[in-house]
Each structure stands twice: as structure tokens, then as C-alpha cells.
Amino acid sequence: MPEGNCTQATEFSLAGFTEDLATQVTLFLLFLLTYLVTILGNLGMITLIRASPLLHSPMYYFLGNLAFVNLCTSTIITPRMLAGVLLGKKGITYAGCMAQMFTFDLFLATECFLLATMAYDRYVAICHPLLYPLVMSPERCSRLVTRSYLLGLTNGVGQTVGMSSLFFCSSSAIDLFFCDISMLISLSTSDTTLSLIILRTSASLLGVPSMLVVLVSYVAIISTILSISSAEGKRKAFSTCASHLTAISTFYGALIFMYLIPRSNTSRGGDKWAAVLYTVVIPMLNPFIYSLRNQEVKEA
């Protein structure tokens, strides 16, 4: 068996971005600034939504939870990455790697369902405005958000259980700056059938439905907007969902590039930067995407 040729890994080595000292310092300062802006932006958005009565509506309730998830996602990844860039600490313990994978998968799946929930919210607001207060009642909004977190937790637990039975050699090196589940499966020297089944089942049962909700919602939204006779009415209707459309385009675009586009191991150079986009950059951009074009947020 492959396991007999090596000892079980107690630590993994995470890949860096470059060996050049000047570039490392530049990347550290850039990522540090990005992280600080992410913390301030998302905390500011959460505080503003809670403090302003003008923003006590379903759309901003979902946005506040999205800001919290973005805050958690960035905190799971970025501080560890900063330590690796500046101090050269590329090692991460087996337990730390599993914990990072669990929490990241939890919040990644939660964000997928929150974005789908927000798309459904915009669909009801634009396509069925008279039914909006009834359909998006506070109780239903609370249930939708709770289910998003529970489904995210289910994803995190399922992926971790699947990974717990895998064997890794002590020399295992992850060609990324965090413990990504697809990278870990490819590194394992034992049978990965169960882990692959769990990964694909999770993607089918959790990821695909959330993407379908977003797709169907926006097909209906665009159809409704095009049927509006006045140009001003079209502009107002589109402005209510433009920010969310921008957010989901960048988020799902990065995930599709990272996980769904087939390519050889020698052509995966863009994976690190795609991962930087959805783990570091998008959590920073979301508060600005939802505030710069939003008159209610500006007034609040």
C-alpha cells in the first residue's frame, strides 16, 4: 500500500507567491491593506444596517449576513497568508489545516446560499412587488438565512468527514496558500473515492441548486425589466439588482475558473490568483459594490 512507504503527515507545507524579497514585502503590504479595508468595510456595513431604520428591510438583512460571512471568510484565510508572505511560515499543522478547510467550506457554501436568497429577494421585489411584504416577511427571511448557515455547516461537516479517512505523506506540499479540499484530495496517497463522492454530491446538492436559483431569478427579472415601457422605470428596476448581479458575477466566475474548468497540472498557474480573488478581494469589494450605487446606503 502507498501508506507503507511514508509516515502520516502531521504538517503540510503551503506554497508562497514568490521568493523575491522585494515582491514579498509588496505583497504583504498589499494584502494587509486589503484585509484592513475588508474588516472596516464589512464591520461598517453591519453597523450601518443595524443602526439605521432606513435599512431595516429584507434586502439589507441579507446584506448584513453576507458582510458577516465575508468577514469570516477573509479572517480564516488572510492572516495565515500574511504570516506566510512576511515570515516565511509555510507550514500548517494537520489539525490546523482540517480546521481551516472546515470553516472555509462552511462559509463558502453559506455565501452561495445567501447570494441565491438575495437573488430570490430581488425576483420577488421586481416581478411580484405587491406580494413582496407577504412573501419576504421577517419570519421567512430569518428562516432563509438560518437555512443558509445550516446548509453551510452540513457542507463543512461532510467535507471534513470525507477527508478524515485520507492518508498523507509527511512531505505533502499544497500548491496554494490555504488548505483547499481539491488540492488535499489530489495529494492523498490512499483511496479518495469516498472524499470525491462527498465532494461531488455536495457540489450537486448544494452548489448547483443555488446557482440555478440565481440563474432562474435573473432570467425572470430581466424579462420583467424588458417588458417595462418607460426608460426611467427600466433604469430604476435594474438599479435595484445591479449591485447584486456584479457581486455574483465575480464570485461565481472565480469559483468556476478554479474548480470547473478542466486543465492539466502544468497549466494551473492562475489558480492562486483566482483563489486570491474569491478569498481576499471579493470580501473587500462587496461592501463597496453594495454601497457606491445604492442611494439608501448613502443616505443612511
Side-chain angles (χ1 to χ4, degrees), residues 141-266:
C141 291
S142 179
R143 287 198 298 269
L144 287 171
V145 169
T146 301
R147 287 170 185 171
S148 296
Y149 285 107
L150 289 176
L151 288 169
L153 179 62
T154 301
N155 180 62
V157 170
Q159 304 292 10
T160 305
V161 169
M163 294 298 298
S164 63
S165 61
L166 298 186
F167 188 92
F168 301 92
C169 286
S170 57
S171 59
S172 294
I174 301 172
D175 190 24
L176 206 60
F177 54 87
F178 71 102
C179 292
D180 175 69
I181 186 169
S182 62
M183 293 286 185
L184 287 170
I185 291 176
S186 67
L187 284 175
S188 176
T189 58
S190 56
D191 185 8
T192 60
T193 302
L194 176 61
S195 296
L196 287 172
I197 289 175
I198 292 175
L199 180 62
R200 290 166 182 168
T201 301
S202 175
S204 300
L205 298 181
L206 301 180
V208 174
S210 66
M211 294 181 69
L212 285 176
V213 169
V214 171
L215 181 62
V216 172
S217 295
Y218 273 100
V219 168
I221 288 171
I222 292 172
S223 176
T224 300
I225 291 176
L226 292 177
S227 66
I228 298 175
S229 57
S230 68
E232 181 65 18
K234 289 181 179 179
R235 187 193 65 79
K236 288 183 177 180
F238 182 75
S239 66
T240 63
C241 57
S243 298
H244 182 249
L245 191 57
T246 302
I248 61 173
S249 298
T250 54
F251 179 75
Y252 282 117
L255 291 183
I256 289 171
F257 176 84
M258 183 73 180
Y259 296 110
L260 297 184
I261 295 180
R263 52 198 181 277
S264 65
N265 290 332
T266 58

Side-chain angles (χ1 to χ4, degrees), residues 88-99:
K89 292 183 177 180
K90 298 182 179 180
I92 182 171
T93 64
Y94 177 86
C97 189
M98 293 299 106

